Amino acid sequence: MSPIEAPVQAAVEAAQWIRACAVDDARGRHWHAGERAALPHRPASLYSGAAGIVLFFLELAAATGDDSYLEDAAEGARYLTAVVPEQSDPTFHDGLAGVVFALSEAGWVIDDAFTAAAARAADLLAAAGPTWTGDPCQRGDGGIILTLLHASALLGEPAYERVAVEAGLRIADLPVPGHRFGAEPPADLPVDAVTPGFLSGTAGTAFLLARLHAVTGDPRFHDAAARGAGFVRSISEVNGSCALVPHHVPQGRHLHYLGFCSGSAGVARMFHELGDTDWVERLAHGILTSGVPYRQTPGFWNVMCQCCGAAGLLELFVGLWAATGHEEYRAFALILGEHLVGAARQGRWWQAYRRLRPAEVTADTGYMVGAAGIGAALLHLDAAERGDSRRLILLPDNPFPLTVRSGLS
């Protein structure tokens, strides 16, 4: 097998394992969470359930030309349609907003019935706003707002954007948007922790506000995003051309995650959205000089997934290559892809999802936590390498281009 074929083959093998985890019933299809799964099963979620797996099968069908994967996606979308009324969690990664996104993508590719289902679900989401969780971060209201912006554009409904903007203005009024948690912090952090990262911190909220500024032109969003970015800069560790972001302050100032959820790969998205190429490059160089993926660090351990592992780094460097054409980004993306392909075992990626439990090794099926998302990242690498014009599915929090810019290499 040639190196250019390896990412797709690894994704195909992941699909075979995910298919073996399928659960069919009268509502459609969902999938077991995996083997010794890292998380409690959320069967419809984008993070670890059917919504994310539907996205993976849609992309795999486009990459391989094998329409049988569309059948998997359609059965999953049928399940999502049926369980919309059961979704008590409104958020993007764990609840209704993620279902909206997956159904809208399935409708685009497969059947307008799923588009109609996405619109009904988005109606429910919008009607419950403009405050849903009380948490402005991406794991809370921030991810919901991004979903509504995406749904407004894809489904052609201006009302979704109006709710998103109203909700965003409430967040923009915060002194440093997103740097403290909502109702309560995670159990593994001190109650006074301040978090600059993407999924649960300042960077993700500043990204949202920058996106709202791009949509509306309202300077209040730009000013609020700039406050958030300024906070992240002020607490980061800078060494020459490299920067690292603390996981939380003041207690975790010297713990530097590199992945998407709480580290450099996510924070770089915020600076890219703001057009701050200097800090994007600083964060990228911090990763490039760290020795990962073959060297483990306190903030990059035995973890492969999109959320906090190598697949999240792969999404970043494929995106940076697509945006800039810089060869060093392509070269590192290929190293990350090689690492992920080499780590696969019969379609599974075994990992220690929780940093503080290194002996707890799991293999997961889901998008942010397991094989579906790793497979999707490898498909994005394949598309970039081939210069393929096929339609890719990037989550609403991914600001990078879909393909490498023409004339760049």
Side-chain angles (χ1 to χ4, degrees), residues 23 78 222 261 269 350 375 397:
V23 179
R78 191 163 70 85
H222 179 272
C261 59
R269 295 186 181 198
W350 293 94
D397 57 20

Side-chain angles (χ1 to χ4, degrees), residues 179-181 185-186 188-196 247-252:
H179 83 302
R180 286 194 182 277
F181 290 98
D188 59 348
L189 285 184
V191 294
D192 61 340
V194 176
T195 54
H247 181 266
H248 60 283
V249 292
Q251 303 89 347

Side-chain angles (χ1 to χ4, degrees), residues 167-230:
L169 285 171
R170 297 183 181 207
I171 295 173
D173 282 339
L174 298 172
V176 181
H179 83 302
R180 286 194 182 277
F181 290 98
E184 52 186 68
D188 59 348
L189 285 184
V191 294
D192 61 340
V194 176
T195 54
F198 197 88
L199 190 57
S200 299
T202 315
T205 308
F207 173 93
L208 164 70
L209 293 164
R211 177 64 55 83
L212 283 165
H213 176 253
V215 170
T216 66
D218 189 326
R220 291 175 290 182
F221 291 126
H222 179 272
D223 293 346
R227 292 198 302 275

Side-chain angles (χ1 to χ4, degrees), residues 189 243 293 306 393:
L189 285 184
Q306 287 257 7
I393 298 174

